[in-house]
């Protein structure tokens, strides 16, 4: 059979093949990754719906492909038939509106059921007569958003009318106070070549995503940056002591791992740093889980995988998971889900160098921690000058949710957590 | 000589091309229609749908007459005048062709006979009987169609090895005819020749005839073929052919056995190939896929912004009505309308005996794609009308989405299935549920009732058959 690119979820109907993970003649298992597809949100692995032998691969790396395009031809094993579309409808990660965003409930008031979506198991388009489909095409209306009132969910002219009226109501309803539209400015075309030779390269989908997300965050989140330094002399000594032990267990003890661990106490003490603003309802959503994103520098740009439930893991588990996740991210073998649901982000540029920098809040999170390179500095302790290893720490946060005093308190708490690591924290058994 | 100037040039006057040209003219566009044929209508009218259906109709009577002895009316053996049959068929084609010419003229569509060749993205050179002409166009629609494929190994240059094109000329009725390929063309033409008296042997590479149709739809046709043909050989591969006096020596492999046989004629129906060669497409930005079909998007646009393509030449189902619909989409897009060839239900009809027709989702496709469906079937043995026609060898079935009861597909095998399927197309396109179909009163006694009763089978209350195991739930019954 021919394996085609399934629907990946809303809007994600095309992408660029970045990695083909199989070869012709290879025996593959059901759910084994065939290739990786880069779209605007992330790199998604495309699993095989069936086990079998690959007869032919129809795409190559760099191809832009769309839903329904044949990826490979598979000679099936004579096993019980596996329903292929099940994978299509249920097993594929749906593209979230914003990776990492909390799932938004449809607002109930004013009957604004704009989140309705027709998603039948069969994958067929919504039932509507050709005349209505034509009308929808003319008006540019997505019929999967229109709730049909007739048997079987069939959409009538009245349903389309009601839908448009609802859209109008929403459009003219009071807008959330926080969304202030930036004045629209037409991008200007500049001929750089008139000043000297240039070369051009198309922005990759990932680059475009980073650009979109950071400018959106910059435009809508009033940033405050709180700069501090943490004395990590003791922590680094402990790290040196325990590193070989961790290595034996197959883990690398890193500063990022320590900061992940240290961030939990301040997050618990100041839950607003683990919260998000729901701009549609003007509610603050406090999360009772601690999923921390770690910025990873990959060949093609910034990707932020998320470590789940950091508060429930010991340093060994965190270190192991961090290394494994970072490696898979660099190889672009990370799934969409693993990029979603983060509550705070840590960006450590210390490995490269430099002191303080001011990271941009990863919306809809409320804060991000930026780490620079630790440096030996002359510090006065008990009236004496000592050489201490000082780590530049920046906290960027969303002033809509958090005021300066809390920002300072959080940073102090974090620095203290970093400065008070004990042997017990490195214990392989403890939490 | 100055080039001709036009808004739209349509290359190829088959059912895709002429429909597009007429539609564009109806929308106030200046149109030139170019075709190398003497008569408009393309393969459909000249070498496909129409002549084959004329012959099938003519020969159908022979089969009817034979069967009517069962009903107490016995005819003598028919006398077949091939010459007369040919000229009647030709007269049909002529009338239709002239009709198209008249329709073009009334709309002001300029028809240019000759072979078209793209000089560049904006210019078409046409080799007319009166010499070269150049057309400077704004938009071109390629509708050059396809032709019957003849593998090089079978191409002996011997007229006894035919494609459908030659078979429809009906030069003679061979004693022993080999039909290579059990697709719809092979089955239809095999039926014509078998009725006219040929001993037909049909070989098919796969393990079933009529690829694409569900197994239960194929079964009655297979039963007919096994009776009317000398033999149907499945899983058989034709290896080579050679001229042997006035016959063709054919070597094939079946069941690992090598067979060598002599035939008076061989009809090769192994598929169709797009007519993309020698069109000068290399002078445009038009791109082809690896099978040689022109690549287009859902708006029928090729990679060249000035050129659209429709019909067989873009692949998919090689059917006249699909080409016509694509032609409409192309013209709508060209004239600035939001239009696309998406979610369009294209019915398929095979004019065998009995006919097979389906639209929308098939059971085979549902299985392949893992789509959960419920299937309701109504056997024609339970239809009064089928009984009076002595054609109970039919089945009507509905492919239904269980949660919504929406009709996703319809399949019919039986006499006149090709005419009946249109109601199925309407149901699928309108998003009808089985309840809708069951609720529409169908006239009695007709074969169309089988569609209504089939929907009733789904709910468990068909009048003319009994369903022990209800497919639809009792709740649904109560709701009805």
């Amino acid at each position: 059979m021919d394996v085609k690119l399934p629907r990946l979820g809303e809007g994600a109907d095309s992408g660029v093949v970045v990695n083909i993970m199989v070869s012709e003649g290879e025996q593959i298992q059901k759910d084994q990754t065939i290739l990786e597809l880069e779209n605007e949100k992330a790199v998604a692995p495309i699993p095989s719906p069936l086990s079998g032998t690959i007869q032919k691969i129809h795409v190559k790396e760099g191809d832009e492909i769309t839903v329904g395009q044949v990826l490979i031809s598979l000679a099936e094993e004579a096993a019980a038939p596996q329903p292929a579309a099940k994978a299509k409808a249920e097993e594929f990660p749906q593209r979230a509106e914003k990776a990492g965003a909390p799932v938004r409930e449809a607002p109930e008031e004013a009957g604004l059921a704009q989140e309705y979506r027709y998603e039948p198991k069969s994958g067929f388009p919504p039932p509507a007569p050709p005349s209505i489909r034509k009308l929808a095409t003319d008006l540019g209306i997505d019929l999967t958003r229109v709730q049909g009132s007739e048997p079987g969910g069939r959409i009538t002219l009245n349903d389309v009318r009601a839908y448009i009226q609802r859209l109008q109501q929403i459009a003219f309803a009071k807008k959330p106070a926080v969304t202030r539209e930036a004045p629209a400015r037409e991008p200007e075309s500049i001929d750089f070549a008139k000043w000297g030779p240039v070369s051009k390269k198309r922005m990759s989908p990932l680059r475009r995503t980073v650009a979109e997300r950071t400018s959106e965050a910059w435009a809508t989140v009033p940033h405050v940056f709180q700069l501090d330094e943490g004395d990590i002399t003791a922590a680094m000594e402990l790290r040196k002591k325990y590193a070989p032990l961790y290595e034996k267990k197959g883990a690398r003890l890193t500063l990022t791992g320590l900061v992940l661990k240290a961030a939990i106490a301040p997050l618990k003490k100041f839950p607003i740093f683990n919260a998000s603003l729901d701009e549609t309802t003007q509610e603050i959503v406090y999360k009772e889980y601690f999923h921390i994103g770690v910025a990873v520098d990959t060949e093609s740009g910034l990707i932020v995988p998320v470590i789940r439930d950091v508060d429930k893991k010991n340093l060994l588990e965190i270190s192991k998971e961090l290394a494994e996740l970072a490696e898979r991210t660099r190889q672009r073998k990370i799934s969409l889900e693993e990029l979603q649901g983060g509550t705070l982000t840590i960006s450590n540029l210390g490995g490269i160098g430099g002191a303080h920098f001011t990271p941009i809040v990863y919306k809809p999170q409320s804060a991000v921690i930026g780490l620079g390179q630790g440096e030996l500095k002359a510090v006065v302790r008990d009236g004496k000058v000592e050489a201490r290893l000082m780590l530049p720490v920046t906290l960027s946060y969303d002033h809509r949710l958090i005021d300066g005093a809390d920002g300072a308190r959080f940073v102090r708490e974090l620095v203290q957590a970093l400065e008070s690591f004990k042997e017990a924290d490195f214990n392989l058994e403890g939490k | 000589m100055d080039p001709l100037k036009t808004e739209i040039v349509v290359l190829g006057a088959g059912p895709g091309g002429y429909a597009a040209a007429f539609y564009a003219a109806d929308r106030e566009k200046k149109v030139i229609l170019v075709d190398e044929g003497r008569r408009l209508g393309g393969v459909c009218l000249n070498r496909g749908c129409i002549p084959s259906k004329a012959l099938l109709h003519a020969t159908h009577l022979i089969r009817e007459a034979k069967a009517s002895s069962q009903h107490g009316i016995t005819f003598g053996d028919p006398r077949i005048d091939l010459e007369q049959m040919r000229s009647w068929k030709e007269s049909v084609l002529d009338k239709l062709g002239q009709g198209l010419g008249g329709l073009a003229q009334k709309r002001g569509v300029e028809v240019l006979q000759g072979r078209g060749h793209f000089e560049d993205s904006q210019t078409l050179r046409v080799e007319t009987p009166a010499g070269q002409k150049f057309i400077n166009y704004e938009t071109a629609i390629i509708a050059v169609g396809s032709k019957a494929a003849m593998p090089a190994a079978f191409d002996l240059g011997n007229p006894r090895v035919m494609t459908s094109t030659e078979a429809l000329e009906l030069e003679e009725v061979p004693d022993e005819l080999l039909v290579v390929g059990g697709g719809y063309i092979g089955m239809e033409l095999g039926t014509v020749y078998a009725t006219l008296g040929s001993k037909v042997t049909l070989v098919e590479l796969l393990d079933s005839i009529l690829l694409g149709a569900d197994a239960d739809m194929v079964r009655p046709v297979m039963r007919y073929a096994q009776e009317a043909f000398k033999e149907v050989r499945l899983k058989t591969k034709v290896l080579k052919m050679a001229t042997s006096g006035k016959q063709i020596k054919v070597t094939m492999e079946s069941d690992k056995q090598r067979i060598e046989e002599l035939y008076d004629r061989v009809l090769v129906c192994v598929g169709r190939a797009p007519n993309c060669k020698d069109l000068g497409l290399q002078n445009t930005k038009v791109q082809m896929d690896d099978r040689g079909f022109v690549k287009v998007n859902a708006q029928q646009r090729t990679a060249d912004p000035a050129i659209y393509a429709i019909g067989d030449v873009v692949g998919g189902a090689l059917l006249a009505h699909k080409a016509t619909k694509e032609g409409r989409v192309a013209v709508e897009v060209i004239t600035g309308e939001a239009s696309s060839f998406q979610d369009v239900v294209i019915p398929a009809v095979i004019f065998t005996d009995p006919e097979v027709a389906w639209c929308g989702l098939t059971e085979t496709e549902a299985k392949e794609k893992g789509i959960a469906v419920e299937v309701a079937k109504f056997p024609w043995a339970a239809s009064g009308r089928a009984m009076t026609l002595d054609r109970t060898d039919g089945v009507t079935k509905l492919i239904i989405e269980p949660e919504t009861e929406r009709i996703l597909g319809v399949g019919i095998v039986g006499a006149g299935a090709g005419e009946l399927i249109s109601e199925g197309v309407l149901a699928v396109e309108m998003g009808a549920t089985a309840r809708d179909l069951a609720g529409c009163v169908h006239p009695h006694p007709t074969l169309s009732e089988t569609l209504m009763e089939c929907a009733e089978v789904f709910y468990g209350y068909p009048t003319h058959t009994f369903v022990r195991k209800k497919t639809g739930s009792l709740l649904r019954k109560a709701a009805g």
Side-chain angles (χ1 to χ4, degrees), chain A residues 33 54 60 87 90 136 139 152 173 185 217 260 262 416 431:
Chain A
T33 301
I54 297 185
K60 56 183 192 306
E90 292 164 14
L139 298 176
R185 194 171 54 90
L260 275 164
Q416 265 164 32
K431 287 281 154 186

PDB file of all heavy atoms in Angstrom, chain A residues 33 54 60 87 90 136 139 152 173 185 217 260 262 416 431:
ATOM      1  N   THR A  33       9.099   5.738  12.937  1.00  0.00           N
ATOM      2  CA  THR A  33       9.134   7.022  12.240  1.00  0.00           C
ATOM      3  C   THR A  33       9.655   6.845  10.816  1.00  0.00           C
ATOM      4  O   THR A  33      10.715   6.285  10.596  1.00  0.00           O
ATOM      5  CB  THR A  33      10.025   8.011  12.992  1.00  0.00           C
ATOM      6  OG1 THR A  33       9.497   8.153  14.302  1.00  0.00           O
ATOM      7  CG2 THR A  33      10.053   9.363  12.305  1.00  0.00           C
ATOM      8  N   ILE A  54       9.628  -1.597   2.990  1.00  0.00           N
ATOM      9  CA  ILE A  54       9.531  -0.410   2.147  1.00  0.00           C
ATOM     10  C   ILE A  54       9.969  -0.749   0.733  1.00  0.00           C
ATOM     11  O   ILE A  54      11.087  -1.167   0.491  1.00  0.00           O
ATOM     12  CB  ILE A  54      10.404   0.720   2.704  1.00  0.00           C
ATOM     13  CG1 ILE A  54       9.880   1.102   4.082  1.00  0.00           C
ATOM     14  CG2 ILE A  54      10.393   1.919   1.759  1.00  0.00           C
ATOM     15  CD1 ILE A  54      10.562   2.262   4.694  1.00  0.00           C
ATOM     16  N   LYS A  60      11.972  13.152  -1.097  1.00  0.00           N
ATOM     17  CA  LYS A  60      13.364  13.297  -0.683  1.00  0.00           C
ATOM     18  C   LYS A  60      13.495  14.488   0.259  1.00  0.00           C
ATOM     19  O   LYS A  60      12.600  15.319   0.349  1.00  0.00           O
ATOM     20  CB  LYS A  60      14.271  13.431  -1.902  1.00  0.00           C
ATOM     21  CG  LYS A  60      13.918  14.543  -2.840  1.00  0.00           C
ATOM     22  CD  LYS A  60      14.862  14.513  -4.030  1.00  0.00           C
ATOM     23  CE  LYS A  60      14.765  15.756  -4.873  1.00  0.00           C
ATOM     24  NZ  LYS A  60      13.405  16.087  -5.347  1.00  0.00           N
ATOM     25  N   ALA A  87      -4.759   6.116  13.112  1.00  0.00           N
ATOM     26  CA  ALA A  87      -3.576   6.915  13.397  1.00  0.00           C
ATOM     27  C   ALA A  87      -3.821   8.346  12.956  1.00  0.00           C
ATOM     28  O   ALA A  87      -3.494   9.291  13.634  1.00  0.00           O
ATOM     29  CB  ALA A  87      -2.380   6.347  12.671  1.00  0.00           C
ATOM     30  N   GLU A  90      -6.507   9.927  15.462  1.00  0.00           N
ATOM     31  CA  GLU A  90      -6.362   9.944  16.906  1.00  0.00           C
ATOM     32  C   GLU A  90      -4.922   9.983  17.397  1.00  0.00           C
ATOM     33  O   GLU A  90      -4.639  10.571  18.418  1.00  0.00           O
ATOM     34  CB  GLU A  90      -7.048   8.714  17.500  1.00  0.00           C
ATOM     35  CG  GLU A  90      -8.547   8.775  17.351  1.00  0.00           C
ATOM     36  CD  GLU A  90      -9.184   7.426  17.578  1.00  0.00           C
ATOM     37  OE1 GLU A  90      -8.502   6.521  18.094  1.00  0.00           O
ATOM     38  OE2 GLU A  90     -10.342   7.277  17.228  1.00  0.00           O
ATOM     39  N   ALA A 136     -19.293  28.860   0.530  1.00  0.00           N
ATOM     40  CA  ALA A 136     -18.242  28.943   1.544  1.00  0.00           C
ATOM     41  C   ALA A 136     -16.904  29.276   0.895  1.00  0.00           C
ATOM     42  O   ALA A 136     -16.125  30.071   1.419  1.00  0.00           O
ATOM     43  CB  ALA A 136     -18.162  27.632   2.314  1.00  0.00           C
ATOM     44  N   LEU A 139     -16.870  32.930  -0.013  1.00  0.00           N
ATOM     45  CA  LEU A 139     -16.754  33.816   1.145  1.00  0.00           C
ATOM     46  C   LEU A 139     -15.481  33.552   1.944  1.00  0.00           C
ATOM     47  O   LEU A 139     -15.195  34.258   2.893  1.00  0.00           O
ATOM     48  CB  LEU A 139     -17.976  33.631   2.065  1.00  0.00           C
ATOM     49  CG  LEU A 139     -19.335  33.987   1.463  1.00  0.00           C
ATOM     50  CD1 LEU A 139     -20.439  33.660   2.451  1.00  0.00           C
ATOM     51  CD2 LEU A 139     -19.387  35.470   1.093  1.00  0.00           C
ATOM     52  N   GLY A 152     -27.308  14.268  10.431  1.00  0.00           N
ATOM     53  CA  GLY A 152     -25.946  13.935  10.048  1.00  0.00           C
ATOM     54  C   GLY A 152     -25.030  15.143  10.106  1.00  0.00           C
ATOM     55  O   GLY A 152     -23.899  15.086   9.659  1.00  0.00           O
ATOM     56  N   ALA A 173     -17.660  42.670  19.573  1.00  0.00           N
ATOM     57  CA  ALA A 173     -17.698  42.615  21.036  1.00  0.00           C
ATOM     58  C   ALA A 173     -16.457  43.326  21.566  1.00  0.00           C
ATOM     59  O   ALA A 173     -15.486  43.520  20.848  1.00  0.00           O
ATOM     60  CB  ALA A 173     -17.723  41.165  21.507  1.00  0.00           C
ATOM     61  N   ARG A 185       2.324  48.395   9.499  1.00  0.00           N
ATOM     62  CA  ARG A 185       3.299  49.077   8.664  1.00  0.00           C
ATOM     63  C   ARG A 185       3.670  48.116   7.535  1.00  0.00           C
ATOM     64  O   ARG A 185       4.030  46.969   7.774  1.00  0.00           O
ATOM     65  CB  ARG A 185       4.530  49.426   9.491  1.00  0.00           C
ATOM     66  CG  ARG A 185       5.457  50.422   8.839  1.00  0.00           C
ATOM     67  CD  ARG A 185       6.531  50.862   9.839  1.00  0.00           C
ATOM     68  NE  ARG A 185       7.237  49.717  10.415  1.00  0.00           N
ATOM     69  CZ  ARG A 185       8.342  49.192   9.866  1.00  0.00           C
ATOM     70  NH1 ARG A 185       8.856  49.703   8.776  1.00  0.00           N
ATOM     71  NH2 ARG A 185       8.929  48.163  10.438  1.00  0.00           N
ATOM     72  N   ALA A 217       5.538  38.186  21.286  1.00  0.00           N
ATOM     73  CA  ALA A 217       5.770  38.316  22.730  1.00  0.00           C
ATOM     74  C   ALA A 217       6.293  39.718  23.045  1.00  0.00           C
ATOM     75  O   ALA A 217       5.863  40.361  24.006  1.00  0.00           O
ATOM     76  CB  ALA A 217       6.763  37.255  23.192  1.00  0.00           C
ATOM     77  N   LEU A 260      17.510  23.940  37.109  1.00  0.00           N
ATOM     78  CA  LEU A 260      16.175  23.342  37.003  1.00  0.00           C
ATOM     79  C   LEU A 260      15.678  22.948  38.385  1.00  0.00           C
ATOM     80  O   LEU A 260      14.550  23.224  38.780  1.00  0.00           O
ATOM     81  CB  LEU A 260      16.225  22.093  36.104  1.00  0.00           C
ATOM     82  CG  LEU A 260      16.107  22.322  34.604  1.00  0.00           C
ATOM     83  CD1 LEU A 260      16.570  21.096  33.837  1.00  0.00           C
ATOM     84  CD2 LEU A 260      14.675  22.656  34.222  1.00  0.00           C
ATOM     85  N   ALA A 262      16.907  23.993  41.286  1.00  0.00           N
ATOM     86  CA  ALA A 262      16.839  25.133  42.200  1.00  0.00           C
ATOM     87  C   ALA A 262      15.594  25.989  41.958  1.00  0.00           C
ATOM     88  O   ALA A 262      15.125  26.684  42.848  1.00  0.00           O
ATOM     89  CB  ALA A 262      18.097  25.994  42.053  1.00  0.00           C
ATOM     90  N   GLN A 416      19.427  32.193  46.264  1.00  0.00           N
ATOM     91  CA  GLN A 416      19.662  31.493  47.535  1.00  0.00           C
ATOM     92  C   GLN A 416      19.593  29.985  47.351  1.00  0.00           C
ATOM     93  O   GLN A 416      20.407  29.254  47.916  1.00  0.00           O
ATOM     94  CB  GLN A 416      18.633  31.943  48.567  1.00  0.00           C
ATOM     95  CG  GLN A 416      19.186  33.080  49.425  1.00  0.00           C
ATOM     96  CD  GLN A 416      18.067  33.791  50.174  1.00  0.00           C
ATOM     97  OE1 GLN A 416      17.064  33.175  50.539  1.00  0.00           O
ATOM     98  NE2 GLN A 416      18.247  35.090  50.384  1.00  0.00           N
ATOM     99  N   LYS A 431      14.769  12.706  46.390  1.00  0.00           N
ATOM    100  CA  LYS A 431      14.011  13.465  45.393  1.00  0.00           C
ATOM    101  C   LYS A 431      14.520  14.897  45.369  1.00  0.00           C
ATOM    102  O   LYS A 431      14.833  15.470  46.392  1.00  0.00           O
ATOM    103  CB  LYS A 431      12.513  13.464  45.752  1.00  0.00           C
ATOM    104  CG  LYS A 431      11.852  12.138  45.506  1.00  0.00           C
ATOM    105  CD  LYS A 431      11.528  11.922  44.044  1.00  0.00           C
ATOM    106  CE  LYS A 431      11.469  10.427  43.739  1.00  0.00           C
ATOM    107  NZ  LYS A 431      11.312  10.089  42.372  1.00  0.00           N
TER     108      LYS A 431
END
